[in-house]
Amino acid sequence: MQRDDIKAQGLLRLLTQGLLAHAEYKTASELGDRSQYIGMSDIGKGMECMRSAVASKLGASAIPVSAAIGELAQGDLAHVLGRQIILQRGHWQEDGVQKALQAAGVKLIPQLEISVEHSGVPMKAHLDFTLVWGGDRPAVRILELKSNERIPESLYASYEAQLYGQVGLLKSYWNKPCFSVTEAGVKKATFPQAVRSIFGVDLPESPEDVDIEGWVLSISISMAKVKPFGPYQPEKSMLEACLQTAVGIWRTMEDVRSGTLELNDLDYCRGFHPLCDWCDVNKDCPKFQDVNIPSDSACGLELEELAILKESKTTIEKRIAEAEERIRQTYRSIGSQDWVSVGGHRFRVATVSGRKTLDRSLVMDTLTELIDDLTAQDALEQCEKTGKPHERLYIGKINKILKSVA
């Protein structure tokens, strides 16, 4: 390796170590020892994959501690750096959103902690932002930030569970001394006491007199698109489901530690799930019954080339989408309707009619007005057409467990 390449690798190693050190400090200062309690993100994960939730709590992770960076090979270093940039971009966005909301004059509590115990299981919820309004129409809004490569059409079930747990705990424990805000020096206060201490605002003693909602704000990795999901309101049944899941994770952790259960005996996400690629414990998951193919074999080389080509395609498609958006914005700004010729190609931005689709729920409502529910449902089912089965090739990343965080 040439001297300049060695220096470049040293810079990347230093950056990776810094990112990991920052993540470790932020986790310790804001979240504490996560192995000692069940958090809302654990509950969301547990509802979709108990194996992943338990394994993560037991310390099996693809994320090494910062002190281990010097031991990583070049390929592993690139893998860790890439994941850290993706995982931490949400924190960078969080800082910008906080400044924007505060500049708008919103009374905002960052990182409100709710610490409770249910059936002997310690639980904590850490709310990204809690927005407060007093006066004649008191209201509280919980805002959870999610950084997504592509903003989803509908929210992931794990995110929804996290929101329902947060708004549910806020309402249920409103008048109990379990709220803390480290940044403001507030410890073990009721929620009205915490708000009065920070803002001097009086909230009703009963949460029934307050408008409480939770929202998720999904921000794209490019910071070009933002989409809110909500509102999520306190629901007793959803909170109970979250509490039961927390107890299930904690008890299962105890069983795995004692040797009563093996990690691979736990239930796991069996269907296709886009978050499986980001699971830190997917390397030996029984969902993937791997047939190991030598990397230097003809088949191995072709599969590796396909994975590289797919990654390149994704990168190119992103660049195309960004370029198209810039050109569309330019056309809108100058109000041009003309063709633009460059070399052997012509370009023009035109408005195209939207696709016609059939709204099933609207059809059902219309039919129900004419006939009864069962007949309408039967009529719809008779008109349904199922396409032919087809094959789909999935390519997923294996997240190697480099060193335990615990």
Side-chain angles (χ1 to χ4, degrees), residues 77 92 105 341 367:
L77 177 68
W92 304 337
S341 298
L367 287 175

Side-chain angles (χ1 to χ4, degrees), residues 97-135:
V97 170
Q98 178 176 341
K99 290 178 179 176
L101 292 173
Q102 289 174 333
V106 176
K107 292 181 175 62
L108 178 149
I109 302 174
Q111 291 302 315
L112 173 68
E113 178 183 287
I114 310 175
S115 180
V116 303
E117 186 172 296
H118 176 76
S119 298
V121 176
M123 298 172 55
K124 288 185 181 181
H126 294 93
L127 284 54
D128 286 345
F129 300 122
T130 306
L131 286 59
V132 179
W133 290 267

Side-chain angles (χ1 to χ4, degrees), residues 133-302:
W133 290 267
D136 296 334
R137 301 177 62 183
V140 176
R141 296 290 182 265
I142 294 172
L143 184 61
E144 182 73 16
L145 260 59
K146 296 298 180 184
S147 180
N148 299 109
E149 187 168 1
R150 293 182 180 179
I151 295 180
E153 289 296 323
S154 57
L155 206 58
Y156 298 127
S158 57
Y159 292 174
E160 290 190 325
Q162 189 174 352
L163 257 292
Y164 277 121
Q166 290 177 351
V167 295
L169 289 178
L170 175 64
K171 182 176 180 179
S172 296
Y173 291 86
W174 181 271
N175 269 320
K176 293 183 173 56
C178 55
F179 295 85
S180 301
V181 185
T182 302
E183 187 177 290
V186 176
K187 293 184 178 180
K188 300 299 181 183
T190 68
F191 186 69
Q193 287 172 346
V195 172
R196 190 178 305 116
S197 173
I198 298 171
F199 302 118
V201 172
D202 289 323
L203 289 178
E205 291 302 313
S206 171
E208 299 295 341
D209 299 325
V210 182
D211 181 16
I212 300 174
E213 290 180 356
W215 288 80
V216 171
L217 192 64
S218 176
I219 305 178
S220 67
I221 183 174
S222 64
M223 294 288 286
K225 294 183 179 180
V226 179
K227 182 177 180 179
F229 294 91
Y232 293 89
Q233 297 170 330
E235 290 187 16
K236 188 174 181 180
S237 60
M238 291 302 300
L239 176 60
E240 185 60 33
C242 290
L243 296 175
Q244 290 178 0
T245 301
V247 173
I249 294 172
W250 191 262
R251 300 285 184 255
T252 305
M253 285 169 55
E254 294 175 336
D255 290 340
V256 173
R257 280 200 188 102
S258 67
T260 307
L261 276 176
E262 294 291 333
L263 192 60
N264 284 349
D265 292 335
L266 306 184
D267 193 21
Y268 54 89
C269 179
R270 298 178 184 274
F272 172 74
H273 198 293
L275 296 182
C276 285
D277 283 354
W278 297 100
C279 176
D280 285 333
V281 292
N282 72 8
K283 178 176 173 56
D284 56 354
C285 179
K287 173 179 178 177
F288 306 103
Q289 300 297 323
D290 293 349
V291 176
N292 291 318
I293 298 175
S295 298
D296 57 354
S297 66
C299 183
L301 291 171
E302 188 167 7

